[in-house]
Amino acid sequence: MSRPSARTSDPATAPRAPVTPLRQYVLKLTSRCDLACDHCYVYEHPDQSWRRQPRLMTPDTVEATARRIAEHATTHRLTAVRVVLHGGEPLLAGAARLATTATVLRRVIDPVTRLDLRMQTNGVLLTAEIADVLVAHDIRVGVSLDGDRSANDRHRRYANGASSHDQVRRALALLRRPAYRSAYAGLLCTVDLANDPLRVYQALLAEEPPRIDFLLPHANWDRPPARPDGATTPYADWLLTIHRRWLADGRPVPIRLLESLLATATGGSTGTEAVGLAPADLVVVETDGSFEQVDSLKSAFHGAAATGLDVFRHAVDEAAAHPGIAVRQTGLAGLCATCRSCPLVRRCGGGLFAHRYRSGTGFDNPSAYCADLAALIRATAVPAGSPQQRPVDTLPPAVLADLGSGRGGPGSVDQLAAVHHGIARALTVALSPAATTDPVAAAGWHLLVALDVSAPDAVDHVLTHPFVRRWAQRCRAGATGDLSHLAAVAAAAAVRAGVDAELVLPVRAGAVHLPTLGAIMVDTDAAAVPVTISGGGVALRAGRRRVRVRPAVGPHPDRWRPTRAAHTGDGTVLLEDTDPYRDCFDLPVAARLTPAVADRWTRQVRRAVDRLDTEAAGYAAGVRALLRAVVPLRPDPSGRSRSAAARSAFGAVAVTPVADDAALAVLLVHEVQHLKLDAVLDVCELFDPADARRLRVPWRDDPRPVEGALHGVYAHLAVADVWRHRPGAEAAAHHRRYREWTDGTVDALLDLGSLTADGERFVRRMRATLDGWR
């Protein structure tokens, strides 16, 4: 989330922090290159320190580097490290020296941690002898290629101007051979607006790469990127042309930048330093053994990447603590005020560090590609606070097919949880401008931003609570009176993180509410009360009495109303009867439960979830991954068992009292199916939203819109499946009824002509599940 207070991100003045382990190392085996690419940051940009470097890294330097890496991995108990052999051009070292280098690295590092050994090359010197070395030492190689001959020859030429294209293609043909395919990691392509994006994409695809990586040409505010004809976002337009074709082709190969944008849209992690807020954990070792910051900084000014440290005199911990490296590990705290206040910051991350440089302000600026990054993000994802606007195809076809069967394995439902995570964060971030106008909310916002750096897991736990999302959507819809609840959200995260804080919290219906934790009853007419959070507890003045509670410790004072929980073996389901935003269903929620009644509920929830492992294994993963809270409803006057789910409270299921855990299990499966489909619809178009037609369905008297019919059959398919696995005549009768309901409506949806291509595939998967029962 964005950060409203101003902090510098200049390496010279960045705040010192505990060392974050470094997991990636770039080893400059050579300091020279056999090509003269005019866009190279090493030779063609302001930093010319390569001129004083030895041409080759000596065996002693390799040995010292390997020992430093192993020492660091041992200290920090790292399970893996990545070492990238680089240059200059690393193939200038020759096959024998490459083999010796790999042998030393593996001999020293492999005993303490897994070594992922890679190389980046222009490919022109790649031979079968070198390819044998790559395979023998498990070195995966990435090759630089900018497209077809005309595109590649704009920049990647020899010093005499001769083309390198034929030699690179010969190297790629070698890597495609079965004997060497395991060494082929992918292609790296630098964007040039003069090249046709589709021709570049097709030329790269023709080389059958395992992965493609597009890089923006290195630029900054002093040397801004070229923008022909005054275009505002030409780099975004270029990449989006490829993005549209890539999606239309069914994403035939991973494209790291595009995959990262899609991942961050749903709360996932990025695979590139160019976007997202993941810590940058990389250091460079030059041919003389000196530690340097990421070498793209050479495009900023002479000496920009220098640290004054080396592998002979300094540990990796000292390099990790260098301000220029440490600042890139602090996420939001390392960004300029402009970026921290931007609603897109979670996905953009400020862009590549080198692209932020400007004389006078250092790196305390947005990226020189800020407008392009914003356009890319908006075109490929849900705008903050608008879950109704969906990114295109953010669920891979295999995941959509798995979910379309009605069930869905752990990997698929985890992606749905990530969708909710991304939306919940985006909704909260979108409140930041309004929060600054409310003193109570503003204090909560500042604390939440600080916690997002120091205790992100605690923040995520609270933000993804169903009724925090419900509250955020109410605020976005105009319920500004609810904005002060942001302080309660921050307080709950602080309690979970064990962080000390002083806040003012709103009072609602005689209580101070802490989402996911419970409520403290107070005797006051005030709209808000000051609280002190310390040691994982909360202290406040409740009328004439001072109340202190520690949510994780019992017994609790009579003014503390903890949120009870059912522990289901591998997780926890909250029994939510205190949260003020839980009243979001079409059915009336129950008041606070007595201890005896609450105990009965928690036992029943635990048993219901546990029994799904045996009688509804295909749905257990969805229930365990997505069910965060059960809300008790008032008994239905007719005596019927009733249940409900709400898209605005993703992760919550509301249920009336039921006879036993067997009945509750069926209702939980039914409602979690609605949650699953809601998450799918948040990121995929399954039907034409403009189609206002309604379908007659057997389970309702009133005709249903397409979305309502789709929800009904998806839930009833699962219920029929559960009854199918239960013994007895009554279970068989229930199975037949729900199956018949689903059977006819699935066919009606397929015949309607309103489904998109994804929607038709999704519904046909349901059809296949039904047919498989016959």
Side-chain angles (χ1 to χ4, degrees):
M1 66 194 62
S2 56
R3 195 174 176 87
S5 58
R7 293 273 299 278
T8 180
S9 66
D10 191 289
T13 57
R16 296 299 291 265
V19 168
T20 300
L22 300 181
R23 292 175 171 83
Q24 297 190 71
Y25 302 82
V26 173
L27 268 60
K28 296 298 190 81
L29 289 189
T30 67
S31 63
R32 303 298 189 267
C33 189
D34 49 350
L35 293 184
C37 307
D38 60 13
H39 56 11
C40 180
Y41 59 81
V42 174
Y43 305 106
E44 301 297 329
H45 281 260
D47 189 301
Q48 292 292 298
S49 57
W50 64 272
R51 297 179 183 277
R52 59 174 172 76
Q53 286 291 338
R55 289 178 175 272
L56 294 172
M57 182 178 282
T58 66
D60 287 346
T61 304
V62 173
E63 180 86 21
T65 302
R67 295 196 179 282
R68 289 300 190 189
I69 296 171
E71 171 189 88
H72 189 70
T74 301
T75 300
H76 296 279
R77 299 180 180 179
L78 302 181
T79 58
V81 296
R82 173 175 292 182
V83 174
V84 181
L85 307 179
H86 211 282
E89 171 47 48
L91 294 185
L92 286 172
R97 185 165 292 211
L98 285 174
T100 301
T101 299
T103 298
V104 170
L105 292 171
R106 292 214 174 273
R107 171 173 53 80
V108 176
I109 298 172
D110 269 339
V112 299
T113 189
R114 183 176 64 84
L115 172 59
D116 177 8
L117 189 54
R118 305 210 170 199
M119 182 169 68
Q120 185 63 42
T121 173
N122 61 36
V124 300
L125 294 179
L126 187 64
T127 62
E129 180 186 14
I130 290 175
D132 287 333
V133 170
L134 299 178
V135 172
H137 293 274
D138 194 17
I139 304 172
R140 301 195 67 213
V141 59
V143 179
S144 298
L145 181 70
D146 285 349
D148 59 14
R149 180 181 298 275
S150 64
N152 199 67
D153 285 352
R154 287 188 191 278
H155 304 287
R156 298 189 182 278
R157 289 178 172 270
Y158 288 92
N160 64 4
S163 170
S164 67
H165 189 251
D166 289 342
Q167 289 89 332
V168 178
R169 292 206 64 210
R170 176 190 50 76
L172 295 174
L174 189 66
L175 290 173
R176 289 197 299 272
R177 292 183 188 176
Y180 303 130
R181 181 76 191 188
S182 64
Y184 191 7
L187 296 176
L188 183 149
C189 173
T190 300
V191 173
D192 188 323
L193 300 179
N195 295 328
D196 181 273
L198 293 182
R199 287 183 62 184
V200 168
Y201 168 74
Q202 289 163 349
L204 299 181
L205 210 59
E207 302 299 335
E208 301 175 19
R211 177 178 295 273
I212 296 173
D213 198 2
F214 286 107
L215 300 184
L216 293 170
H218 287 307
N220 53 51
W221 293 101
D222 287 0
R223 295 160 53 103
R227 299 189 183 278
D229 303 320
T232 56
T233 59
Y235 296 90
D237 297 341
W238 196 94
L239 287 165
L240 287 171
T241 300
I242 291 176
H243 177 257
R244 288 188 291 271
R245 178 62 177 270
W246 178 64
L247 292 177
D249 289 346
R251 293 160 67 172
V253 60
I255 296 180
R256 187 164 67 153
L257 177 60
L258 301 182
E259 297 273 12
S260 295
L261 288 170
L262 294 179
T264 58
T266 54
S269 60
T270 177
T272 171
E273 192 182 351
V275 295
L277 285 171
D281 57 353
L282 179 148
V283 69
V284 176
V285 181
E286 281 286 356
T287 54
D288 66 353
S290 57
F291 283 118
E292 288 201 343
Q293 303 169 58
V294 60
D295 51 355
S296 60
L297 291 182
K298 295 177 185 292
S299 64
F301 57 90
H302 184 74
T307 65
L309 309 173
D310 63 66
V311 297
F312 301 103
R313 298 175 300 154
H314 304 96
V316 174
D317 268 12
E318 294 176 81
H322 184 278
I325 294 175
V327 73
R328 296 185 301 112
Q329 299 173 331
T330 56
L332 286 167
L335 301 182
C336 69
T338 301
C339 290
R340 292 195 301 269
S341 64
C342 176
L344 303 180
V345 68
R346 276 271 153 206
R347 303 198 54 215
C348 170
L352 197 69
F353 192 76
H355 297 170
R356 306 175 201 168
Y357 179 74
R358 186 198 298 265
S359 298
T361 54
F363 298 91
D364 192 32
N365 308 286
S367 168
Y369 290 98
C370 180
D372 293 283
L373 291 171
L376 270 173
I377 289 168
R378 291 190 175 103
T380 59
V382 182
S386 302
Q388 292 78 18
Q389 296 181 351
R390 303 170 177 85
V392 180
D393 191 25
T394 54
L395 290 178
V399 171
L400 203 58
D402 185 32
L403 295 167
S405 70
R407 298 187 169 194
S412 298
V413 294
D414 283 350
Q415 291 212 27
L416 298 185
V419 169
H420 163 58
H421 178 276
I423 290 172
R425 293 194 69 97
L427 285 166
T428 309
V429 168
L431 299 178
S432 58
T436 60
T437 66
D438 180 317
V440 172
W445 176 250
H446 283 274
L447 175 59
L448 197 63
V449 168
L451 289 172
D452 201 37
V453 174
S454 63
D457 289 344
V459 172
D460 284 342
H461 189 91
V462 177
L463 290 189
T464 54
H465 183 55
F467 303 111
V468 170
R469 176 169 168 177
R470 163 69 174 168
W471 154 78
Q473 287 193 217
R474 278 176 54 88
C475 291
R476 289 287 290 163
T480 55
D482 294 337
L483 197 58
S484 60
H485 188 63
L486 183 58
V489 172
V495 171
R496 288 191 170 277
V499 170
D500 295 350
E502 301 257 348
L503 284 175
V504 173
L505 300 187
V507 176
R508 179 188 293 268
V512 170
H513 295 274
L514 299 172
T516 73
L517 297 174
I520 306 171
M521 308 308 294
V522 296
D523 298 327
T524 179
D525 294 327
V529 295
V531 304
T532 300
I533 301 168
S534 64
V538 181
L540 58 79
R541 178 71 61 182
R544 297 181 179 179
R545 296 175 56 190
R546 183 170 176 80
V547 177
R548 177 172 175 80
V549 298
R550 294 187 67 193
V553 179
H556 301 289
D558 59 358
R559 290 179 178 271
W560 174 234
R561 304 288 186 265
T563 302
R564 276 74 68 109
H567 300 287
T568 60
D570 60 349
T572 299
V573 178
L574 299 179
L575 184 67
E576 192 58 87
D577 60 357
T578 61
D579 197 288
Y581 295 94
R582 75 187 189 283
D583 192 3
C584 58
F585 306 97
D586 293 333
L587 303 169
V589 299
R592 175 72 174 178
L593 305 178
T594 66
V597 173
D599 286 345
R600 188 161 62 248
W601 269 96
T602 55
R603 287 196 303 271
Q604 205 172 66
V605 170
R606 184 181 66 251
R607 291 170 182 165
V609 173
D610 288 345
R611 73 180 295 149
L612 294 177
D613 291 326
T614 55
E615 67 179 21
Y619 302 95
V623 172
R624 289 186 179 279
L626 303 182
L627 182 63
R628 291 285 306 277
V630 169
V631 178
L633 296 172
R634 295 179 191 172
D636 189 83
S638 69
R640 292 172 54 204
S641 295
R642 304 286 300 277
S643 61
R647 193 170 190 168
S648 64
F650 187 89
V653 168
V655 190
T656 59
V658 295
D660 52 34
D661 55 275
L664 181 58
V666 175
L667 293 177
L668 293 182
V669 168
H670 181 277
E671 298 305 335
V672 169
Q673 288 296 99
H674 288 304
L675 297 179
K676 287 160 64 176
L677 187 56
D678 279 337
V680 170
L681 292 173
D682 276 331
V683 292
C684 294
E685 294 279 10
L686 299 185
F687 58 91
D688 180 3
D691 190 338
R693 289 178 293 173
R694 291 176 173 259
L695 286 78
R696 288 282 180 186
V697 295
W699 61 87
R700 291 281 294 256
D701 292 331
D702 55 323
R704 305 299 293 152
V706 175
E707 184 172 353
L710 193 58
H711 262 285
V713 295
Y714 195 60
H716 292 147
L717 176 72
V719 172
D721 208 356
V722 173
W723 284 116
R724 188 171 70 95
H725 288 87
R726 289 185 176 178
E730 183 181 6
H734 284 310
H735 166 67
R736 282 194 301 272
R737 179 175 61 167
Y738 283 102
R739 175 177 170 171
E740 288 168 3
W741 284 358
T742 308
D743 207 40
T745 309
V746 162
D747 289 340
L749 283 167
L750 291 171
D751 292 340
L752 190 65
S754 182
L755 300 177
T756 63
D758 279 343
E760 182 155 343
R761 284 192 291 269
F762 190 84
V763 176
R764 288 197 182 280
R765 285 286 290 153
M766 285 193 272
R767 175 77 270 163
T769 297
L770 288 165
D771 292 343
W773 295 345
R774 293 198 175 107

